[in-house]
Amino acid sequence: MEKTSKQAVACVIFSFFVMGFCDIVGISSDYAQKAFGWSDTTTGLVPAMVFVWFLFFSVPAGIRMNRWGRKNTVLIGMAVTIVGTLVPLLRGSWACLAGYALIGIGNAILQVSQNALVGHVVRNERLLSSSLTAGQFVKAISSFSGPFIMLFAVNVLGGGNTDNWYLAFPCLGAITLLSGLWLLLTPIEREEPQETTVTVASTFGLLRNPTMLLLFLGIFFVVGIDVGTNFTSSKILIQRFGWSLAEAGVAPQVYFICRTVGAFIGMLLMTRLSDVKYYRLNIVVCIAVLLVLAFVPVSAGVTLGLIGAVGFLCSCIFPTIFAQAVKTEPEKTNLISGLMITAVAGGGAFTPLIGMATQQMQTITAGIAVLLLCAAYLTYCAFFVKAKEKNTTTNV
């Protein structure tokens, strides 16, 4: 690989760090709930303010990417993200929600274009899943850093006052700016334009392919588990063991540490093993872990371990599903990328359900049951993929 190519790969993989900023919604929602006096149901809507925009912007971004180019689309997503990180400085709940919304819009554009850009700079199809997982590894590091950035904002920038939690956002904006400048200054040959006479309707028409529909819903549910576990983790410790907000902040950290380790190990293993088989093994074990977390009384330490296990086991499912979708029709990478990232809206679909279930049943176990429903579909998806491998020559 030439020096310029190596630099391009490094730059694009690092840009996934910005993509991880949407995960700060988990720990920041706890601070926002305390600052604004929100109920569990209202707090459950906060992640929806981030992830609902994937439903509306992903496919249009995939279509426009044919005209703008993948690198330019990434830069546009970063610009929107920077604006979103500045809005909360205006203070107030409305500014907080507006900032979340803009970060969500920027993230939707980023996820469409960054995953597609990886496919452009990494030409070896055999390495596509591992390269996407490398991006998820960097994203996981970003997600893991979220609680530390929040603590830095509160304790250093905010003088120890938790009402100053919003100062974490400009920190994220500064990192986004640095990543954007690196990408802007890195020469990346523009890809060949794909078909341009496409519409939103024709893009969603790809779902007429049963395999594509299966994988689309797989993205929807795996992001639901990811965001839902992040959102629920600290609340489990607060409700079951009476931990304070500061003490319970360790739960998202454990989750993201394990997700980071899982992505790193998966990145290495999937260069040698079948990514689909690895996915199948992980989701079966994940079902068992969630069942224990929901229904078996265990200590706080074991609970933290179970939360971390969910992060580890789910860390490689997203890139595996995405890679299989691209391999199904590689000539439509931009459109498939936009379509698949639309399903990331699942991150906003399940947290309101978790919040309502927890509030109505007065137990966090009801919220964990929602995560089990997500894992149940992903288990079905894993073994359906196995059947397709047997009956077709497509690597799905």
Side-chain angles (χ1 to χ4, degrees):
M1 186 178 293
E2 296 178 358
K3 181 178 179 180
T4 303
S5 180
K6 289 181 178 179
Q7 180 184 354
V9 172
C11 175
V12 172
I13 295 299
F14 177 77
S15 65
F16 277 74
F17 195 90
V18 177
M19 193 190 296
F21 292 164
C22 62
D23 289 323
I24 201 173
V25 69
I27 184 65
S28 66
S29 65
D30 292 333
Y31 284 88
Q33 182 176 22
K34 180 180 178 182
F36 303 122
W38 292 338
S39 67
D40 286 337
T41 300
T42 302
T43 306
L45 293 173
V46 172
M49 290 300 299
V50 175
F51 291 98
V52 70
W53 304 107
F54 287 82
L55 185 62
F56 300 107
F57 282 87
S58 298
V59 169
I63 294 173
R64 286 289 181 178
M65 188 161 52
N66 290 321
R67 179 181 302 174
W68 295 338
R70 297 174 189 177
K71 175 180 174 179
N72 290 335
T73 308
V74 171
L75 292 172
I76 291 171
M78 288 185 176
V80 176
T81 300
I82 291 172
V83 175
T85 61
L86 298 178
V87 172
L89 293 176
L90 299 176
R91 308 291 295 272
S93 60
W94 70 269
C96 170
L97 294 175
Y100 279 134
L102 286 169
I103 290 173
I105 293 171
N107 215 274
I109 298 171
L110 284 173
Q111 294 221 28
V112 172
S113 50
Q114 282 177 313
N115 284 292
L117 190 56
V118 170
H120 177 58
V121 298
V122 178
R123 302 301 179 91
N124 188 332
E125 184 177 289
R126 185 178 62 84
L127 297 178
L128 181 57
S129 288
S130 61
S131 298
L132 288 170
T133 304
Q136 292 300 308
F137 171 62
V138 173
K139 179 177 180 288
I141 294 176
S142 173
S143 301
F144 163 65
S145 302
F148 292 106
I149 295 174
M150 185 64 64
L151 290 174
F152 174 78
V154 170
N155 295 326
V156 179
L157 300 180
N161 187 348
T162 56
D163 288 339
N164 292 324
W165 63 275
Y166 66 91
L167 294 176
F169 287 98
C171 297
L172 305 180
I175 298 171
T176 304
L177 179 61
L178 291 174
S179 179
L181 289 173
W182 186 12
L183 179 61
L184 180 66
L185 298 175
T186 300
I188 298 177
E189 181 182 358
R190 176 160 177 165
E191 67 278 3
E192 289 292 327
Q194 298 182 9
E195 56 178 303
T196 56
T197 58
V198 293
T199 63
V200 171
S202 64
T203 301
F204 278 102
L206 293 170
L207 295 177
R208 287 193 292 266
N209 181 333
T211 299
M212 197 69 73
L213 177 61
L214 174 82
L215 298 172
F216 176 85
L217 292 175
I219 295 288
F220 187 82
F221 283 99
V222 74
V223 177
I225 284 187
D226 184 31
V227 178
T229 306
N230 176 26
F231 175 76
T232 308
S233 59
S234 57
K235 296 170 179 59
I236 294 174
L237 296 174
I238 291 171
Q239 187 175 115
R240 289 184 175 175
F241 304 104
W243 287 21
S244 68
L245 179 60
E247 291 171 332
V250 72
Q253 292 175 311
V254 169
Y255 175 75
F256 288 125
I257 287 173
C258 294
R259 198 177 78 171
T260 303
V261 173
F264 179 74
I265 292 175
M267 175 183 66
L268 299 177
L269 291 179
M270 287 194 296
T271 60
R272 302 175 181 273
L273 304 177
S274 165
D275 50 0
V276 173
K277 291 180 181 179
Y278 189 65
Y279 158 35
R280 189 184 312 131
L281 173 63
N282 281 325
I283 194 58
V284 168
V285 178
C286 185
I287 283 277
V289 168
L290 286 171
L291 285 170
V292 174
L293 185 62
F295 302 113
V296 179
V298 293
S299 67
V302 174
T303 298
L304 278 172
L306 294 171
I307 290 169
V310 175
F312 181 93
L313 295 166
C314 292
S315 60
C316 297
I317 295 178
F318 178 96
T320 297
I321 293 175
F322 187 93
Q324 299 309 312
V326 170
K327 291 175 185 177
T328 301
E329 297 186 64
E331 71 282 0
K332 298 180 179 179
T333 296
N334 285 1
L335 302 183
I336 291 173
S337 181
L339 180 65
M340 290 296 121
I341 298 305
T342 299
V344 174
F350 290 102
T351 51
L353 294 178
I354 292 171
M356 287 188 289
T358 301
Q359 186 167 323
Q360 291 297 318
M361 302 299 292
Q362 294 297 305
T363 174
I364 197 65
T365 299
I368 301 172
V370 176
L371 301 179
L372 271 166
L373 293 176
C374 296
Y377 176 83
L378 290 168
T379 304
Y380 163 77
C381 180
F383 287 94
F384 184 86
V385 167
K386 176 183 178 182
K388 295 295 288 184
E389 285 182 326
K390 288 181 178 180
N391 294 319
T392 74
T393 58
T394 303
N395 186 22
V396 176

